[in-house]
Amino acid sequence: MKIIRTKDYEDMSRKAAGVIAAQVVLKPDSILGLATGSTPIGAYKQLIAWGRAGDLDFSEIRTFNLDEYRGLTRDNDQSYFYFMRHNFMDGAGIPVERTDIPDGSEPDAERECARYDAAIRAAGGIDLQLLGMGHNGHIGFNEPADEFPKGTHCVDLTASTIEANKRFFASEADVPRQAYTMGIQTIMSARKVLVAVSGEDKADIVYKAFFGPVTPLVPASILQMHPDVIVVADEAALSRCKL
């Protein structure tokens, strides 16, 4: 595991974008696993800027997203499909047909999860998987549990995750209670993993995830077992870690 300490969120965003850009330059037809949430927005903005300047070409890449709220249609402005179109895909000029996100409007969880895993396998697997990390150590929507889930699955969101996400909705009652998410095995099968973390409020979980025991009670801790992980984190997020 390689840990890159950055000054602040802006510096973290540029360096995380740099890792993704290097992947695209080295392999223009890369399969990218992407994440939503506030953390990667700065990196997406930087990638878009480099693309518009002619420094990056996204025309051959394919993308798969970590997760999607169950019960939201793709035109819902709180869906992750909408988020990705608005915050990255449209700006980077990536057509819809080269992106895949779990279909939250599909009521048959078993069918949708099987479809998604099959699509990732058919694409040849993920070259680089971008991750954020929740306050409880979740990656994707893999919440603390007694075991590490393997493939894409439907998960009940914890109270802490609902609390963290309610700022994006009109009220807490509007936050979906379930989501479709890639499983830990799918994430760990990516050839490279990039974790972006920012803020002092993440300091405790960063320490537990990357310097504590590997346990499904801290889902991100499994990344200690991956052969190629880059963590890009600002000073605040790494404040408990002695590097």
Side-chain angles (χ1 to χ4, degrees), residues 189-235:
S189 296
R191 286 173 274 280
K192 181 188 291 288
V193 175
L194 169 63
V195 187
V197 195
S198 175
E200 189 174 2
D201 59 324
K202 297 288 180 71
D204 286 342
I205 199 61
V206 165
Y207 179 79
K208 291 177 182 177
F210 304 131
F211 297 92
V214 174
T215 168
L217 297 176
V218 182
S221 66
I222 192 66
L223 297 173
Q224 295 180 45
M225 310 298 293
H226 194 283
D228 190 358
V229 174
I230 299 174
V231 178
V232 182
D234 61 18
E235 293 178 352

Side-chain angles (χ1 to χ4, degrees), residues 141-151 153 155 183-185 214-222:
F141 274 128
N142 293 287
E143 303 281 11
D146 294 330
E147 60 184 17
F148 292 110
K150 293 181 179 180
H153 59 289
V155 63
I184 294 296
Q185 184 179 58
V214 174
T215 168
L217 297 176
V218 182
S221 66
I222 192 66

Side-chain angles (χ1 to χ4, degrees), residues 5 7 72 77 118-119 158 165 168 172 182 184 191 211 219-220:
R5 181 189 292 269
K7 181 180 179 181
L72 296 189
D77 63 5
T158 64
N165 289 356
F168 301 115
E172 181 181 311
M182 280 187 197
I184 294 296
R191 286 173 274 280
F211 297 92

Side-chain angles (χ1 to χ4, degrees), residues 7-213:
K7 181 180 179 181
D8 51 26
Y9 175 80
E10 288 73 24
D11 189 24
M12 180 214 71
S13 297
R14 284 192 297 272
K15 286 183 169 61
V19 173
I20 299 170
Q23 173 67 42
V24 174
V25 169
L26 290 171
K27 187 182 179 187
D29 61 346
S30 287
I31 309 298
L32 301 181
L34 300 179
T36 53
S38 56
T39 299
I41 289 177
Y44 291 150
K45 288 181 178 178
Q46 182 64 74
L47 289 168
I48 290 170
W50 285 335
R52 289 176 173 171
D55 298 320
L56 279 177
D57 181 3
F58 298 107
S59 63
E60 295 183 54
I61 70 166
R62 286 193 61 191
T63 70
F64 289 90
N65 253 72
L66 277 170
D67 40 36
E68 178 61 280
Y69 286 119
R70 188 183 188 192
L72 296 189
T73 58
R74 290 185 165 183
D75 59 353
N76 187 300
D77 63 5
Q78 295 303 325
S79 73
Y80 286 165
F81 181 90
Y82 185 97
F83 176 98
M84 291 307 302
R85 298 308 316 174
H86 179 74
N87 287 287
F88 183 54
M89 305 301 185
D90 290 346
I94 301 171
V96 172
E97 58 268 21
R98 298 192 69 82
T99 70
D100 203 339
I101 297 176
D103 184 357
S105 66
E106 171 55 66
D108 188 329
E110 184 175 349
R111 181 168 65 182
E112 177 56 18
C113 293
R115 179 203 69 80
Y116 203 60
D117 283 337
I120 294 171
R121 288 193 299 270
I126 293 170
D127 291 306
L128 184 150
Q129 177 64 60
L130 172 64
L131 300 174
M133 186 167 62
H135 291 92
N136 61 3
H138 74 243
I139 48 178
F141 274 128
N142 293 287
E143 303 281 11
D146 294 330
E147 60 184 17
F148 292 110
K150 293 181 179 180
T152 301
H153 59 289
C154 181
V155 63
D156 294 326
L157 303 184
T158 64
S160 64
T161 298
I162 293 169
E163 174 69 21
N165 289 356
K166 72 178 185 181
R167 67 187 187 277
F168 301 115
F169 293 82
S171 70
E172 181 181 311
D174 294 322
V175 183
R177 265 43 184 177
Q178 291 184 313
Y180 294 139
T181 185
M182 280 187 197
I184 294 296
Q185 184 179 58
T186 308
I187 292 170
M188 291 292 286
S189 296
R191 286 173 274 280
K192 181 188 291 288
V193 175
L194 169 63
V195 187
V197 195
S198 175
E200 189 174 2
D201 59 324
K202 297 288 180 71
D204 286 342
I205 199 61
V206 165
Y207 179 79
K208 291 177 182 177
F210 304 131
F211 297 92

